[in-house]
Amino acid sequence: MIAAVTALPGAMAEASPLDAIAVVNGRLTGDINGQIVDSRDLVGSSFQDGPLTYSIVDAASDPFLPGLWRYRITWKADDGRDWNAMCRNSRGSTGWAYAISADDGPRFVCEDTDMAVCFAKANGLSVQRAVALCLGN
């Protein structure tokens, strides 16, 4: 079960459950209290998945494939105070994650340099075909 809450800058807001969260055409989308929200509008929202809370820190359109979005995600355990980056900048990782469809809600895959090269070469493919090619989904 994946639920989300909207967050105020610097503090968690009163829990406002995300009624649905999914990946539609290469971008996260959800329904918060009857309002459809997607991609950049999800920045600042958080959702729970089991004992972990995830927060969407940033969203940007992929530089090589218009229509595909990538996200900076942080997480913390329910009993923890510190937020941790899901994807850390390193030699192999860009720090961004892509959201892909899964049976129990969106799954995030950290972008690495090979994936970035793959999307750069996916010019002319649809978002769905490029995701299948580059993320193996």
Side-chain angles (χ1 to χ4, degrees):
M1 171 82 177
I2 294 181
V5 293
T6 56
L8 294 174
M12 293 299 284
E14 190 85 20
S16 177
L18 181 63
D19 298 322
I21 185 168
V23 180
V24 178
N25 296 326
R27 61 196 322 157
L28 276 177
T29 187
D31 181 328
I32 299 175
N33 296 326
Q35 180 181 2
I36 300 298
V37 180
D38 78 351
S39 299
R40 186 165 298 286
D41 293 334
L42 285 168
V43 172
S45 66
S46 297
F47 60 93
Q48 287 187 287
D49 188 8
L52 301 178
T53 300
Y54 295 90
S55 179
I56 301 168
V57 176
D58 196 7
S61 182
D62 185 88
F64 301 111
L65 194 60
L68 180 67
W69 282 71
R70 54 194 194 154
Y71 306 87
R72 291 199 191 274
I73 309 291
T74 59
W75 65 272
K76 70 175 181 172
D78 286 346
D79 59 354
R81 292 183 181 192
D82 296 332
W83 288 95
N84 303 285
M86 177 182 285
C87 303
R88 298 183 189 278
N89 285 336
S90 69
R91 275 190 248 186
S93 174
T94 65
W96 292 96
Y98 292 96
I100 59 175
S101 295
D103 290 340
D104 58 350
R107 182 167 66 90
F108 294 96
V109 177
C110 295
E111 181 186 55
D112 59 22
T113 51
D114 289 341
M115 196 181 302
V117 168
C118 183
F119 280 123
K121 292 180 179 179
N123 189 13
L125 293 181
S126 69
V127 167
Q128 292 82 2
R129 291 190 67 196
V131 167
L133 173 70
C134 299
L135 299 181
N137 185 27

